Amino acid sequence: MTDTATLQSDADLALKRKHRAMWASGDYPTLASDLIWELGTRVVAAADVRPGERVLDIAAGSGNAAIPAALRGATVVASDLAPELFDVGRRLATEAGAELEWREADAEHLPFRDAEFDVALSTVGIMFAPHHQEAADELLRVVKPGGRIALIAWTPEGFIGQMFKTMKPFAAPLPEGAQPAPLWGDEQHVRGLLGERATDVEMVRESVRIDRFRTGEEFRDYFKHHYGPTIAVYHRIADDPEQVRALDQALAELGRAHGLDGSGRGTEWEYLLFTARRS
């Protein structure tokens, strides 16, 4: 078991506090329910979660994968760096009739025993741990040999990956050693992180259709109020009206380029679905 109270520098602890505050800002549970709840059901199906199995959802948020896994009869732990998201998750679980455990946990320092879980899941969650190799190592450590892994991550080329690219010039530089989240949506990168410790690897690019927004401006304004990473970038440039206008325009243009032009066509958000077994 990793000792989460040790082996972390002051800088790393400060970074994690910043990440926790970022995800606690805005209203990620509403965003997840409004836009991507179905991705949780998709990853649970891909992992073939079964009754009686012990399942860990890493960076679970408000439980869009953990709750469907529990409804299949699994014993589920929903873990996240930001426990502020759990209140909504508990309510949603109660409404669905699901029982599960909610546990505050850093994906890079999981407070669980080696080989404790039959299945590990993450739905656009583990990808945001800043140190990818550390998160991958912990993911593999807590899964039993022969256990199953299923992950969904936004691709660099897809809509959300391009949103992060659009925000990058306005965002704070990544800390030393940190990597961009959408790299988890790159097949070669994920293979490199897991190496020979994962077998029966399958990776497929899929997309979720988003019909909520008609225009780029609607998308932009929704993310400005709901999505922690977007809120953090706007907070950083809040005292520079020119930069705020530039980012407003850039995000609206991104939406228009992906079909949010007032026509009602909606847009597609591409993700990588990764499944494997622990060697």
Side-chain angles (χ1 to χ4, degrees), residues 21-85:
M22 177 182 73
W23 287 109
S25 68
D27 189 356
Y28 185 76
T30 293
L31 183 149
S33 295
D34 285 349
L35 304 178
I36 59 170
W37 193 261
E38 67 189 78
L39 295 187
T41 303
R42 179 71 185 99
V43 81
V44 168
D48 189 24
V49 172
R50 302 162 191 168
E53 291 187 317
R54 187 157 172 79
V55 175
L56 175 64
D57 186 3
I58 299 174
S62 51
N64 66 324
I67 292 170
L71 290 174
R72 285 190 170 212
T75 299
V76 179
V77 178
S79 68
D80 202 282
L81 184 67
E84 293 85 351
L85 306 178

Side-chain angles (χ1 to χ4, degrees), residues 109-193:
H109 299 274
L110 292 171
F112 306 111
R113 297 186 305 274
D114 294 354
E116 184 171 342
F117 295 94
D118 301 293
V119 181
L121 310 170
S122 190
T123 307
V124 297
I126 195 174
M127 65 182 290
F128 290 101
H131 306 107
H132 294 189
Q133 192 61 64
E134 286 87 340
D137 292 346
E138 283 292 273
L139 164 70
L140 290 163
R141 180 183 65 78
V142 301
V143 177
K144 297 176 181 178
R148 303 186 304 287
I149 297 165
L151 312 173
I152 283 177
W154 302 121
T155 64
E157 301 84 2
F159 184 82
I160 298 298
Q162 290 300 299
M163 184 188 74
F164 277 96
K165 183 178 180 180
T166 299
M167 295 192 301
K168 182 178 179 180
F170 306 90
L174 288 175
E176 184 177 357
Q179 294 178 288
L183 279 178
W184 274 92
D186 177 83
E187 293 89 342
Q188 185 174 356
H189 182 70
V190 181
R191 286 186 183 276
L193 293 174

Side-chain angles (χ1 to χ4, degrees), residues 7-29:
L7 304 179
Q8 296 189 73
S9 68
D10 290 344
D12 189 51
L13 290 170
L15 176 61
K16 298 306 172 60
R17 287 193 294 269
K18 183 177 179 180
H19 273 227
R20 173 177 173 172
M22 177 182 73
W23 287 109
S25 68
D27 189 356
Y28 185 76

